[in-house]
Amino acid sequence: MNRFQVGSATDTGRVRSVNQDSLLAEPNRYVVADGMGGHKGGEIASALAVEAVVDFPPTGSLDDVVAMVGSANDRVMDYAIEHPEVRGMGTTLCLLVSLSEDQHLAIANVGDSRLYRKDRQGLHRMTRDHSLVESLVRDGRLTVEEAAVHPQRNILTQALGIDRRLQLDVWEVAPQRGDRFVICSDGLHGELSDDAIDQILDVNLSPQDAANELVLAACEAGGRDNVTVVVVDVVDGDDEPESDTDRVVDSRLGETFQSSLAATAAPERSALVSATATPETVLSDGSSSLPPAVTWRVVVFALAVVVVLVGLLSAVVMVGRSGFSVVTDDNDTIVILQGPEDGFLWFEPTIEERSSLTVQDLLPADQANVRQGQEFGSLSEARLYLDYLSTRTIEGSSP
Ligand code: MN
């Protein structure tokens, strides 16, 4: 049986006027949520997410944890539908919960709050941020140092309260006695380096002292955002490391799920959306600047536009390439052209066949006709005319 000791602390910081972070430090459930959105929206969103975790029945497996995060997402979304004044609010959610089935711990993360684990080897960051800058770092377009000071580092790519479809990261880990887990909002990791966090954890043995000191240090480093920290020590349980490698039992990174099917349109439509949508981007400091989500309507409209354009283009090509004509080229050789003799839009007629006749070989009446150009609907008709001309050459007609 695992036993935990926990400490927690939160502070508005030195710049903000309200604290929009929420935390939970109840037995077996530890949560940090960082709310965003004006008109009290951020405080409400983070509080609703924590409430949903409190109200959720005991979690036995990772599937239960996924459902728990889904219920938190639904709670934030449903509230915003009923209260238009907080439309656009959202929240991060980073949690550590006990699984009743196997004594393991589950970690779930949406947004840019973080969970670290400190053990004998040192401090390990276990979550990845769902933020624009972190995806740019992953793509090699920003360095870690550039990301830390990037003006758009507040832009999240995932958050609760934005869409019924949610991409989240969940893991199951086997805890060991001596493990120390730290869950925090970006008000901590935005002000303190991982090394600075590690040092504070080293010198503060009790989880409550560690949480207090971390929040204080973040405020002293600038306190530009709300700071929230939950420190969870594993004080009982297995103490022999299963292996030196990571003790991750199961993980589902970037899993997308539908938190509430009932609240959306027909299932086939959501299937279309999840196949084509990109993650929504939300601003962690406000409700505005939401780019339009790719909905099935947008997809259907785009397809219709493509169909119409392709239709128009093929009509143009058909006209531009249609018909054949028998004419003379610059050297008076008789040729068959494909396409309107004078061209159409950007289409120039092309020489389809070159005959061995020149216009001088023809009878005068035929010469005039060919110089004028004779048009035919098909290549075989044009060839027939050419054959006809060859039987009427000056040479052929003279005995
Ligand atoms: Mn924050």
Side-chain angles (χ1 to χ4, degrees):
M1 188 67 195
N2 293 311
R3 214 156 51 78
F4 305 104
Q5 250 174 27
V6 62
S8 63
T10 185
D11 198 286
T12 306
R14 300 266 162 93
V15 175
R16 304 282 172 95
S17 54
V18 290
N19 192 345
Q20 300 191 316
D21 288 356
S22 294
L23 69 86
L24 178 70
E26 288 193 353
N28 300 319
R29 286 187 187 185
Y30 311 101
V31 181
V32 166
D34 178 350
M36 64 203 77
H39 301 285
K40 293 184 181 273
E43 296 143 86
I44 293 169
S46 65
L48 287 170
V50 166
E51 268 176 40
V53 171
V54 172
D55 294 345
F56 202 84
T59 47
S61 67
L62 275 194
D63 286 336
D64 294 342
V65 176
V66 170
M68 176 193 262
V69 177
S71 76
N73 189 39
D74 285 341
R75 198 172 291 204
V76 178
M77 292 206 69
D78 292 345
Y79 188 96
I81 288 167
E82 286 158 26
H83 302 84
E85 70 276 10
V86 293
R87 249 190 85 203
M89 72 176 180
T91 182
T92 72
L93 185 69
C94 189
L95 59 80
L96 179 74
V97 298
S98 286
L99 297 179
S100 54
E101 277 174 7
D102 50 17
Q103 300 296 310
H104 288 163
L105 293 173
I107 297 161
N109 184 53
V110 179
D112 69 349
S113 297
R114 288 183 183 174
L115 184 140
Y116 293 88
R117 189 189 75 223
K118 185 169 168 60
D119 60 17
R120 281 172 234 177
Q121 275 83 43
L123 189 71
H124 316 276
R125 176 177 151 198
M126 299 193 74
T127 51
R128 55 175 186 173
D129 298 347
H130 297 140
S131 66
L132 179 69
V133 291
E134 185 143 321
S135 59
L136 291 175
V137 169
R138 266 201 303 277
D139 293 348
R141 290 160 67 189
L142 275 187
T143 65
V144 175
E145 293 73 29
E146 286 166 341
V149 295
H150 198 279
Q152 267 98 48
R153 62 187 180 278
N154 285 340
I155 297 181
L156 300 185
T157 52
Q158 286 294 323
L160 299 192
I162 308 304
D163 198 313
R164 300 283 175 186
R165 281 169 300 113
L166 193 61
Q167 207 180 27
L168 82 161
D169 296 331
V170 284
W171 298 261
E172 184 175 339
V173 297
Q176 275 150 23
R177 185 160 68 175
D179 279 346
R180 171 171 270 192
F181 292 96
V182 178
I183 317 171
C184 64
S185 61
D186 65 337
L188 181 80
H189 65 75
E191 298 289 1
L192 300 182
S193 68
D194 289 4
D195 282 346
I197 293 171
D198 196 14
Q199 282 168 22
I200 292 169
L201 292 172
D202 270 338
V203 298
N204 288 278
L205 294 182
S206 98
Q208 187 57 55
D209 287 349
N212 290 342
E213 281 306 312
L214 285 169
V215 168
L216 189 65
C219 289
E220 284 173 350
R224 281 159 284 196
D225 196 1
N226 309 143
V227 196
T228 300
V229 177
V230 176
V231 178
V232 182
D233 285 354
V234 180
V235 295
D236 209 351
D238 297 336
D239 61 357
E240 283 302 308
E242 291 172 1
S243 73
D244 283 343
T245 56
D246 211 354
R247 288 161 283 155
V248 174
V249 178
D250 188 7
S251 76
R252 304 181 200 170
L253 288 184
E255 183 167 288
T256 302
F257 73 99
Q258 187 87 32
S259 64
S260 170
L261 276 172
T264 61
E268 65 270 19
R269 285 173 185 169
S270 5
L272 176 63
V273 169
S274 39
T276 53
T278 50
E280 281 76 6
T281 301
V282 298
L283 290 181
S284 62
D285 57 359
S287 57
S288 59
S289 300
L290 289 178
V294 179
T295 66
W296 67 274
R297 286 187 189 82
V298 173
V299 173
V300 168
F301 177 72
L303 283 176
V305 167
V306 167
V307 166
V308 168
L309 284 179
V310 166
L312 273 175
L313 196 64
S314 6
V316 165
V317 170
M318 275 173 67
V319 172
R321 301 299 294 158
S322 70
F324 295 85
S325 47
V326 173
V327 297
T328 58
D329 72 4
D330 294 339
N331 303 317
D332 281 343
T333 303
I334 297 168
V335 298
I336 299 176
L337 291 184
Q338 184 181 7
E341 204 188 331
D342 301 315
F344 177 71
L345 298 179
W346 63 94
F347 292 97
E348 290 297 327
T350 55
I351 293 174
E352 180 67 22
E353 270 180 24
R354 205 173 274 279
S355 76
S356 53
L357 298 173
T358 66
V359 76
Q360 284 79 21
D361 299 322
L362 304 181
L363 297 175
D366 293 329
Q367 284 187 17
N369 286 337
V370 170
R371 283 191 193 282
Q372 203 183 319
Q374 295 298 309
E375 298 193 351
F376 303 93
S378 71
L379 183 58
S380 52
E381 283 169 34
R383 279 178 181 152
L384 212 59
Y385 181 62
L386 207 59
D387 290 342
Y388 164 72
L389 290 178
S390 64
T391 61
R392 286 160 54 84
T393 57
I394 292 166
E395 206 178 40
S397 62
S398 46

